[in-house]
Amino acid sequence: MRDRTSATLRGVFAALRRPDGRAAFLLGLVGYPPLYLASVGHLALGARGHSVRVVADPLSRALRPTRPFSFEPVARVALEPVALLVSPLDVGVALVLAVLVGCNLAVGLVAWRSPAACGVEGSAGALAGVPALLTGATCCGPAVLFALGVGAAGALLPVLRYATPAAGLLLLGGLFLVAGRQD
Amino acid sequence: MGYRTTRRGAMALAGSAATALAGCLGAGSDAPAASAPAGGPPAADRSPHLAYERDRIREGVVSGGVSKDGIPAIDDPTVVDASSASFLRDEDVVFGVVRGGTATAYPRAVLVHHEIVNDRLDGVPVSVTYCPLTGTAMGFERGATTFGVSGDLVNSNLVMYDRATDSRWPQMLGVAVSGPLAGRPLREFDLRWTTWGRWRARHPDGGVLSRETGYVRNYGVDPYGSYGPRRGYYARDDTMFPPLTSDDRLPAKRVVVGVRTHDGAAAVTRTRLRRRGVVDLSIDGERLVIAHDDALDAAYGYRVPPAATVTAGEDGVVVDGAARPAAALPFARWPAVEAMWFAWAGFYPGTVLHA
């Protein structure tokens, strides 16, 4: 296990030393948080003007859960046409997942371009970030899944409540699978 | 800006206005037991119809995917003058109520993110509630307590909890189904589902719930879709959660106006009500009439004496030969609930339907 962990870390760092690997990492790091925050309703279009509004007592509000692995926003930043609800812990979750997505993209790309590695496993790694995008229970029910055409999406709620940690574990697993093997 | 808060009159005692709201369900023999625990919202004299045993309803309760209070009720609402409500467009849906001569509008765009406003109208502590998944806006007296969003649903309908006893109250039923107050019916009052432009034309000096809710939300964004034009959840014929009972007499999301008594329930489609002007929805000898207010495009329910003649006329509703506005018939008001058909039929299987 320790060997595999060391091999995974070496594989990730090796991928990040390459320009194409760094570009893929940055793509994940920058691209995933907006997707995640939009899926939970914290990033939206349609704002008018520019404004910043902060709630009273933001510290205690930031720790108040709204659903599993999501917390109450403490500020709203509007920069026409984009509005962002700032929930520090949600942003933290998005960034952790984004780092993992970026690493998966980087090692996946390197694996794909390397004749010695398995391309299928590499491309599958970054897809592990998808489950966290489907939680989207912004109010009642999994609105994202319903919007994607899944009828009776409420039946999936017992599974979806674990989608965010599952996404993290799957992303880690993807790294172990691909980066660890590349060593 | 003309801000005023609804915390005025804060010394009013919670239980002192027991008879203040019109439209409370009628007196009868189903008052809660004298041994019912103290606290919690005041009880109506008689329970509305329950088509299922409470156990069956409790079994139908599911998680909506959010934590308790994850959808935060507005506990300290701010009301602004209609002239200051620049954040509303004429076509935006509002829920309107008039109490003590004062009109207040609650924008749907705000309630879709909070579902409950713990307010005070004409000195009476009330909760204005809205469930997006069933399309129901209803008002209840809350007494000294407040209501919160439990995070659970039954028949896709919001399950509220009171913060005094943590009893659980499905909004459409208006009766606690679990907790210390199980079986207690709420005192209910009716709201108008209309648009801001229509409401403001009727009540230009009224107030409107502002977006200063104490929370930050993207109030211009409805996570479920849109009512103008109808899109997303509100337009699709399927639901996120299966109803307690399915009834294919109408498409699932068709809007009906329903009434229920202690003995049963009846409904009319909104389109039929709009076309007919007046519809008789009597249930087991209890005469209930729904009148359509053309200016608001909204429904008013009344309990009507058997001998009265009530018909639609050119200039409103004709009662015993005299034309009157739909909003002011000379009868006791009775809550008429607008709801998506699947939700109404799910709670009231076998409901009489005028389509």
Side-chain angles (χ1 to χ4, degrees):
Chain A
M1 183 65 183
R2 184 178 295 176
D3 289 346
R4 189 78 182 204
T5 303
S6 301
T8 301
L9 287 173
R10 282 196 299 275
V12 170
F13 287 129
L16 294 179
R17 277 196 291 272
R18 291 171 48 144
D20 54 352
R22 281 198 298 274
F25 176 78
L26 282 176
L27 181 68
L29 188 67
V30 174
Y32 190 81
L35 286 176
Y36 181 83
L37 294 173
S39 78
V40 297
H42 288 184
L43 184 67
L45 296 175
R48 283 182 283 179
H50 316 312
S51 63
V52 177
R53 179 182 298 173
V54 181
V55 300
D57 195 12
L59 277 180
S60 65
R61 191 67 69 79
L63 300 174
R64 189 165 147 179
T66 56
R67 62 183 176 83
F69 303 97
S70 190
F71 297 84
E72 186 66 36
V74 299
R76 181 177 187 270
V77 180
L79 188 63
E80 190 171 343
V82 176
L84 174 66
L85 300 179
V86 182
S87 167
L89 293 178
D90 282 30
V91 171
V93 169
L95 288 176
V96 168
L97 292 176
V99 167
L100 292 172
V101 168
C103 289
N104 270 277
L105 284 174
V107 298
L109 181 71
V110 170
W112 177 61
R113 299 180 83 172
S114 165
C118 175
V120 174
E121 289 166 348
S123 61
L127 294 178
V130 170
L133 301 178
L134 301 179
T135 57
T138 49
C139 288
C140 293
V144 173
L145 272 184
F146 191 81
L148 292 174
V150 179
L156 299 173
L157 271 174
V159 177
L160 285 179
R161 68 175 61 235
Y162 301 108
T164 299
L169 290 174
L170 287 170
L171 287 164
L172 278 174
L175 279 180
F176 269 75
L177 199 66
V178 181
R181 185 175 292 180
Q182 283 185 69
D183 188 46
Chain B
M1 288 287 285
Y3 282 82
R4 65 182 168 84
T5 71
T6 55
R7 290 301 183 202
R8 66 189 185 279
M11 294 302 290
L13 293 175
S16 65
T19 58
L21 291 177
C24 295
L25 295 173
S29 59
D30 284 354
S35 60
D45 295 328
R46 198 175 195 198
S47 173
H49 177 59
L50 285 182
Y52 307 93
E53 296 293 326
R54 286 204 299 273
D55 284 347
R56 170 72 184 90
I57 296 170
R58 278 196 292 269
E59 289 167 6
V61 174
V62 297
S63 168
V66 291
S67 311
K68 189 178 184 182
D69 286 325
I71 298 172
I74 300 173
D75 292 328
D76 195 12
T78 301
V79 172
V80 297
D81 296 335
S83 58
S84 303
S86 57
F87 55 91
L88 282 173
R89 300 168 301 176
D90 281 354
E91 63 271 25
D92 288 342
V93 173
V94 298
F95 311 127
V97 59
V98 179
R99 293 297 315 156
T102 301
T104 308
Y106 297 85
R108 197 191 70 84
V110 176
L111 264 73
V112 78
H113 291 278
H114 295 281
E115 303 195 358
I116 296 175
V117 183
N118 290 304
D119 207 344
R120 188 178 292 272
L121 296 176
D122 194 30
V124 180
V126 301
S127 294
V128 173
T129 67
Y130 169 60
C131 176
L133 296 187
T134 54
T136 43
M138 302 171 70
F140 303 102
E141 288 189 47
R142 61 180 170 84
T145 187
T146 52
F147 282 105
V149 178
S150 70
D152 291 337
L153 304 169
V154 59
N155 195 41
S156 295
N157 186 227
L158 156 69
V159 177
M160 311 182 296
Y161 79 96
D162 72 271
R163 292 182 173 127
T165 72
D166 199 26
S167 298
R168 303 305 168 106
W169 314 74
Q171 179 218 27
M172 285 180 68
L173 297 180
V175 178
V177 297
S178 64
L181 301 181
R184 179 181 288 194
L186 292 172
R187 293 179 185 165
E188 183 181 341
F189 64 95
D190 52 350
L191 305 166
R192 306 277 81 73
W193 179 305
T194 182
T195 61
W196 173 236
R198 291 171 183 268
W199 184 259
R200 188 183 51 185
R202 172 76 57 88
H203 303 285
D205 299 323
V208 56
L209 178 71
S210 86
R211 292 181 170 191
E212 300 293 332
T213 59
Y215 296 87
V216 286
R217 291 290 186 276
N218 289 320
Y219 289 117
V221 178
D222 183 333
Y224 305 107
S226 159
Y227 268 95
R230 202 169 281 245
R231 282 197 297 250
Y233 176 84
Y234 310 119
R236 281 174 54 174
D237 202 35
D238 52 352
T239 59
M240 286 190 198
F241 301 88
L244 287 173
T245 298
S246 295
D247 188 327
D248 59 5
R249 281 182 284 173
L250 290 175
K253 305 290 176 58
R254 182 70 56 85
V255 177
V256 298
V257 181
V259 291
R260 63 264 204 267
T261 67
H262 178 68
D263 300 311
V268 58
T269 60
R270 216 174 186 289
T271 48
R272 180 181 173 91
L273 175 64
R274 199 179 279 139
R275 195 170 60 242
R276 299 288 293 267
V278 173
V279 174
D280 190 320
L281 291 185
S282 296
I283 300 167
D284 282 352
E286 194 154 17
R287 191 172 178 209
L288 302 173
V289 165
I290 310 293
H292 185 254
D293 185 317
D294 292 341
L296 293 182
D297 190 23
Y300 285 85
Y302 294 95
R303 186 179 188 183
V304 177
T309 61
V310 185
T311 56
E314 289 291 319
D315 300 315
V317 181
V318 179
V319 177
D320 294 332
R324 296 173 180 271
L329 303 192
F331 309 117
R333 287 264 281 278
W334 193 269
V337 181
E338 293 197 29
M340 296 174 187
W341 167 246
F342 84 89
W344 185 265
F347 273 133
Y348 304 110
T351 181
V352 174
L353 173 66
H354 299 248

